[in-house]
Amino acid sequence: MLRFLVRRVTGALVILLIISAITFWLFYAVPRDPAMMSCGKNCTPENLAQIRKNLGIDHSIPVQYWYWLKGVFAGRDYAGYGYCDAPCFGYSFANNVPVFETIMDRLPTTLSLAFGAAAVFLVLGVGAGMLAALKQGRFLDKFASSASLLGSSLQIYFVGYIAMYYFVAQLGWLDQPSWTPFSEDPVAWFSGLLLPWLVLAIIFTANYTRMTRSQLVEQLSEDYVRTARAKGLSRANVFFRFAWRGAMGPIVTVFGIDLGTLIGGAIITEQTFSLPGIGRLAVKSVDQSDLPMLLGVTLLAAGAIVFFNIIVDAVYALIDPRIRLA
Amino acid sequence: MTSTDQQPFLSVRDLKVHFSTEDGIVKAVDGLSFDVLKGKTLGIVGESGSGKSVTNLAVLGLHDRDRTAIEGEILLDDKELLTASEKELERLRGNKMSMIFQDALASLSPYHTIGKQIAETYRKHTGASKSQSRVRAIEMLRRVGIPQPEVRVDDYPHQFSGGMRQRAMIAMALVCDPELLIADEPTTALDVTVQAQIMDLLKDLQQEFGTAIIFITHDLGVIADIADDVLVMYGGRCVERGTKREVLQSPQHPYTLGLLSSMPSLDHPVDVPLNPIPGSPPSLLNPPTGCRFHPRCTFAEKVEGGLCSREQPPLEVTNGRGSACHLTAGQRAEYFSDLAGSAAN
Amino acid sequence: MTPPTPSAAAPLEVTDESVEKSPTPSTSKGGEGRSPGRLAWNRFKRDRTGVISACTVSFFFVVAVAAPLIAKLYGKDPYTTYASQRPELLNPFAYPSGPNGGMSSEFWFGIEPQLGRDVFTFLLYAIRNSLGIALAATVLTVVLGVVIGTTAGYLGGKTDYLVGRVIDILLSFPSTLFFIAFMPVVFGLFVAPDEEIPTWLRATALIIVLSAFGWASIARLLRGQVLGLREREFVEAAKVTGASPGRIVFKELLPNLWTPIIIQTTLMLPAYVTAEAGLAFLGVGMIDPTPDWGVMIARGASFYTEDLTFMLFPGLSMVIFVLAFNLLGDSVRDALDPKSKR
Amino acid sequence: ACSSGDEGGSSQDKAPKVTGAKTVEIPVGTKADSTGPAAEVPGAVTGGTIYSLQQFDMDHMDPAQIYVSTEAAITVPIMRGLTGYKLDAKGNATLVGDAATDAGTMKDGGKTWTFTLKDGLKWEDGVEVSSADLRHTFERLFATFVTEGPRYVQDFLVGGDKYKGPYEGKSLDSIEVDGKTITFRLKEARADFNFTLAMRAYSLVPKKHDTKEKYDKQPISCGPYKVDNRNIGKSMTFVRNEHWDPKTDAIRNAYPDKYIFQMGYELVASTDRWIADKGTDQYAVPIFNEVAPERIAQVLTNADLKKRVLNAVDTVTYYWPINMTRIKDLKVRQAINYAWPHQQLQTIGGGAYSQEIATTIFAPVTPGYTKFDLYGVDKKPGGDPAKAKALLKEAGKVGQKLVIAYQQSDTAVKTAVAIKNALEAAGFTVVNKQVDKSTFYTQIGKIDNDFDLFAAGWSPDWPNGYSQFYPCWSGKNIGDGRSNYAQLNDPSVNKAIDAASQIADVEEANKAWGNIDKMIMELAAVVPDYHKIRNYLYGSKVGNVLWDNANTCVALCKLYAKK
Amino acid sequence: MSSTTPLLDVSGLTKHFPIKGGFPIRRTIGAVQAVDGLDFQVAEGESLGLVGESGCGKSTTGRLITRLLEPTGGRISYRGEDITHAGRRQLKPIRSEIQMIFQDPYASLNPRQTVGKIISGPMEINDIHPAGGREARVRELLEIVGLNPEHYNRFPHEFSGGQRQRIGVARALALEPKLIVADEPVSALDVSIQAQVVNLLQKVQRDLGIAFVFIAHDLAVVRHFSQRVAVMYLGRIVEIADRDDLYGNPRHPYTRALLSAVPEATVQDEGVAGRERIRLVGDVPSPINPPTGCRFRTRCWKATEKCATEAPPLVQVEGNKPGHLTACHYPETADVPATVPAPRLAKDPETAA
Ligand SMILES: Nc1ncnc2c1ncn2[C@@H]1O[C@H](COP(=O)(O)OP(=O)(O)OP(=O)(O)O)[C@@H](O)[C@H]1O
Ligand SMILES: Nc1ncnc2c1ncn2[C@@H]1O[C@H](COP(=O)(O)OP(=O)(O)OP(=O)(O)O)[C@@H](O)[C@H]1O
Ligand SMILES: [Mg+2]
Ligand SMILES: [Mg+2]
Ligand code: NI
């Protein structure tokens, strides 16, 4: 296990390193001067030079990257804003706030959105998939399959607005989506996120229903499931302890990937529901050509994906003893 | 059959198992009857696809009831199984009757330890505690010759070798001392040396517990080694049955004869070509009319009037011995004699 | 052993005869065999949902291809702002003044709020553009994925390792974020500052960026498949006869990969249609006045409270298209791979 | 809501029309006017929290860097300058002393200005505001890190062109501090200098706490509230500053306990929330989030909603400067003016309820406004492509390429489409160039930019022509990052601006400015687009929502939260 | 054996598959010693049988001979030409002479190609233009292997297992090879079909004079088909001899045990002594870590210290005919039945390890 973790975490770090380098390089592929943005109306060359120094962009690109990298691990001294402790992802070009703090501040929103939606779609999707598998070919199966298919064909911004219109504005069943920290007001937290969760879930559930169903159907036809039945175990026992066990692997895999992507930014969702999460931060940093923020967000997103990949593999090994971690 | 006085432990009458598939109805088993006696071994031989496994899955009631039409009668110790409820069947399976499958790796759950899988059966049917059943599992493993069973009990199937897996399967099947054991080609995937080990094991265990065994194989050599009675299946039907000696030494059906004569052996002369059955097995979707074997039968034209392609020969059983062929007894004696002799050599 | 009576002496002839009665008493007598593709086609034809969705999908493609023709017959175009000559088409709030979003015999699907363009032709061209982009991206993705995946899988060793790592990195990239971040970069690289970003470049950039990320998953899948197939005996059989690696990849392996390739394609196309729309929604895809499905929906989404019609046509048509394509994908999968029951 | 076919009803007529709007003159108040506390608002209650929903966060909190209306509006409760605008119950403004005891004393015809600091003014840490702070406030404006704010004072003060800020220990001689009085010596007479100082950029900064660049994140308050919590891009909270004494403040009432500003709401999203009017949104006011154009119809046609709309005419005029360096031919510029699709752009912007077509640079509410219509917009609001084409032909420039820069936003994109269609109909070749939001003004502000036409807007920094025309149309203000986007450098215009700014008589001056407006329009250096009518929807539990005529925003310090 | 160079000469043939692993850097940490020093020859037109338990390296040997695998060591020469490490180009002329028939009739035919294409493929690759065209040749080949030439355009899935195996044979014959490596060509087939294919191969061998390396684990089938037989155990040949010698006079204990384990479809009359039964215990050890010395010693009832330290050479032991080579320190003697028959069932689990 330790070997596995060491190896995978090293691999993950390398991937993140490459991703950050690519992002860095691509950002500068278009000639533009971030200093110009903060220089404002009365910009003199001295001002520009000062701002460049403050932002730490008065070096060649590789050197900048090196300083940035060093900052991440060892902290870094900024001309304009003093020392920035490790992990230092720099200061935003657009409004000079520390990137790390901003991201940490936005993270709870995105995490709430992601985990909440994940809980909803996992429960709904897997539940529906199980029912469908149990009632193969019956009405319930057909219903679950087609409903899920319809769900997966919808777009967040399409359903999102319609749902807001009907459920919030017209019927008043749900609250306007909004963000309140859980620690501040759990009820508001919940009611503000309920609609985004549901909308996200509609779209994701489909995939889980289908996958759960197909996995279970496949597993149920496995020889070892037949053996279990031949031993005299009850249907329910066989279903949950044998078939479901086998079906879990791929579901966990996809779940991990989805969770990683969601945390990396449910950009469209956050945009649709005006939630102040990582996704919107990303859009904003793109709008403002804010490299440090963009880098931070990209790394967070990639990190989430990589992290959940490792988790998935570890969980997979727990589920399936045939897989050895190394 | 030699001992007619005995009540059959399992009795199958006119069993029909039909699957409805996209392409039509597969008549996998079409009117099959046989008996298994207590403490005896019935060997079922037949080519791939002849319905051996389907028959035995029907006995255990493991077919998907929605998609399978099963007719006939299966009496286990005078209990009708086809009409039994799922609950009743669950109580019988693994307890009174159990099964060993061919592909042990696929048939053992990869997610649970060998010990758990064995113990589970025991607990289910005896209500023993966890620790009791674990002890029982270790004992069973030792019984089937797994070295260091206390250690190996916590291994997963993939950590076992092929032969050991098959032994574990056997241990699992026998953990509740079943009265009927169905072994579906338990040795086909194994090497000859390991096959010999497993067959010896089965024989020993049968002697010890008096279990009735149905042994499925397509290898007549294995039948010769282990079975008391033999049932030869072809295209979902029984073409011949009798004791091992009767069937192997004086086959009454051209198919059995063909099987015997197409087998290379360690002491046949080598320079003569083998004597294969021409053609290939029949489609069960669209089985040949009349005798299902007639397209491949070298004697079909010996029966006048093309009877073979029109009419299904009945299986006439006397004293447990019978065959389903239009050839007259005389014809058989004439055509088969030298052959049978050579086969028995 | 005494050779038994008549037939055994001539086993070959007997087998010949048996072949006639071989397990496939099929319709095909001699001549043309039932290829796996043909079998799949037959299975597909029997699937009613599949056929209906295929028709729906083809309808969309026909509409896309024939958009200029239809627009010509219909007599409108998607670019003219009809309201600028006829201000009475819009009410003082810039919404269509006619009921139902201004639907009339003249403007079938009504007119657009604010600018007053014709929704019907706009939608036609939007479908045309979006499908075109999605299709091109799909083709490019699949080609890239297939070439890279099969090559890596077949060659193995260092190449495979390298490609594997590149795939890892690509799959770890937060792709949506990347799209929005670097579409401007792509434009910046190709366009002089005083030139309008040409529509073709936007489209090309979209296609390139979408496929640059999309190929990885296909390549990974195919690589796995090839790794499996490579060990299959028919590949060894080809090698034993001296076949070149090229021949093995293209003549032996590729035909066996059609199933996953087709399945992936049917998954990818609707995904790209929605992805393209999503990017447009975020403002980095196509842009007015180029008609685009996603742009239409995104704009409809802001007017729906007052002019639902304007949102409904593009929105529903996309839902229908994606749904039909998904259903079609399912049916194709079932037909190609009858064992997998979804 | 399927159809919006039927007319909006009679409410249409009640919407204000810019054409009918009066010009807003702001008188200078007396010492008595400048003495606190501010008059109570009838029915107001203390306590509660006021929220806001807005799209953008403020880029700057250092007053010296503040030039954008949003930033100015939002900082009223925490920043105080020497002068400020006091509102009466109807929202009419008077210029009074804020930190100063009165609106200042002018000598030498406006070349010397003296202000006296009020007693009892304290920073949020309880330390008294000192005259050193006053001096520092103005000296630090010259520091290099100050790049965004206005440059009026810096340009006006004697010696300002050489001074580099206080941080190297040097002080500026033209600022004299004596006890509680501060005297400014200006290069030339500025009769409206006290109005200049009312700009947020000249709010006070404590010398002790001046952290230079970092002050931008952490301003120190001497107003009734202070920044409690700031979360850039997301939210900001103001809480009470206990050291503020209402008696020192004639301008601000401070009813709510807290302000919570919430950022990141697109117009449509915020409008929908105000329409829904749920939870804390009932206590929300807009800072700059108007009713989204997409929702104007819904809001204005619904009597209930309409009750909650603050409707006001802004001093801003949105226009499209024509790059004079690139488009040198008058006829071409005139052709652009003729071809302009005014009406269509108005429609896209939300219709006559939110904007009125402009033919002048001056907004009708700004003193000095004179109505004229040089390019026949009133008659042909949809544009006159024929005439435009004829002019182009005359100039021999048919097919003239025009590069139009616009920001990336939904409305901007649609606008660009309409303009392109119209100009191409008149014989131009149009290149629409989308420019990053973040660098839009930087890019069009460069002298050698690549654009011919771009959207801009200007509202005077105080209500007269000087701050309307000098920054944007004087040839002296051409430079990278300066606001003379058209790069207009016409000697007669320059002369006229200089002359007008020296006229002390208000009436006279206004007339002069009105003429300059016409001069520029004759040169066709710009296409005036529209005058803005603001429609602000607010929550049902916010009391006394007033339009602040002088700061052109919702008067934050007059609000209260209903119980 | 004739004095002329044999068709195929294999000496010291070795194949080790590296095992990757290790931490933190992946490297080769061991090897599967699949084949470890094989020596044998195949003469023209002769059939050499290769038998042994699963995993003993039979297929690996076959794939080394056909050069599907790169040998780790040893030498393979075909008609005197060293092809041990020959590249694809160098092998080109030889490719058509050495062909292979595979075990799995389902996996060995490309499901997406018609029978015609499958069989004409090798000709296309090797640029062979038979008189009368390729198609005619294919039909001819189909006829030779007993299939209906009309089935030229059918796909493999339309055939039964036996028929598919015939197609495989036809493909191998298409290049008119001199040597065919048949890797368990009949193991996957039903008995009734198996005989058909064995007969076909026999006919091919006889009529066309093709030499065979016939791999199987069924001793009876090998006996029927091969003139000479080699028994493999864990990557090594333990005994190689002419058919009659090997089956009549097995000298290696393993050969003996193997022979005795073959089930025969005969019924012993009561009282008549059955065939000798030797029951080996346990499984074949792992080729990653093969036993030292004689590899069979862990399952051999005769093993001594010597077996553990000294690997017995493959030599002609006393009492053998020439060409009958055995690798054993304590060879069995012909007339005495196995010295110590193992117990029928290992009751003591420890010994079963
Ligand atoms: N669930 C099913 N649905 C449809 N057809 C089936 C099903 N199960 C078995 N069959 C068919 O029934 C026939 C008999 O199958 P069965 O498994 O009994 O053969 P078998 O004699 O056990 O063969 P083998 O020796 O290969 O195990 C085959 O043709 C098979 O395809
Ligand atoms: N590509 C490979 N990589 C690693 N090990 C391999 C590889 N191919 C074969 N082996 C190993 O080499 C040994 C011999 O394998 P081989 O396939 O030659 O056995 P075999 O005698 O043909 O067995 P069977 O009768 O099961 O076909 C086995 O232990 C196998 O696991
Ligand atoms: Mg079977
Ligand atoms: Mg093998
Ligand atoms: Ni014989």
Side-chain angles (χ1 to χ4, degrees), chain E residues 17 32 34 53-60 184 287:
Chain E
F17 294 103
V32 179
E53 276 175 287
S54 184
C56 69
K58 306 182 296 290
S59 300
T60 307
E184 313 211 20

Side-chain angles (χ1 to χ4, degrees), chain B residues 19-21 26-29 46-55 63 68 102 184-185 216 218 284, chain E residues 190:
Chain B
F19 300 103
S20 46
T21 66
V26 175
K27 298 176 179 160
V29 176
E47 274 172 296
S48 194
S50 56
K52 306 184 293 292
S53 302
V54 169
T55 307
H63 286 296
T68 324
Q102 167 173 4
D184 189 353
E185 313 200 21
I216 302 173
H218 45 227
L284 294 177
Chain E
D190 266 319

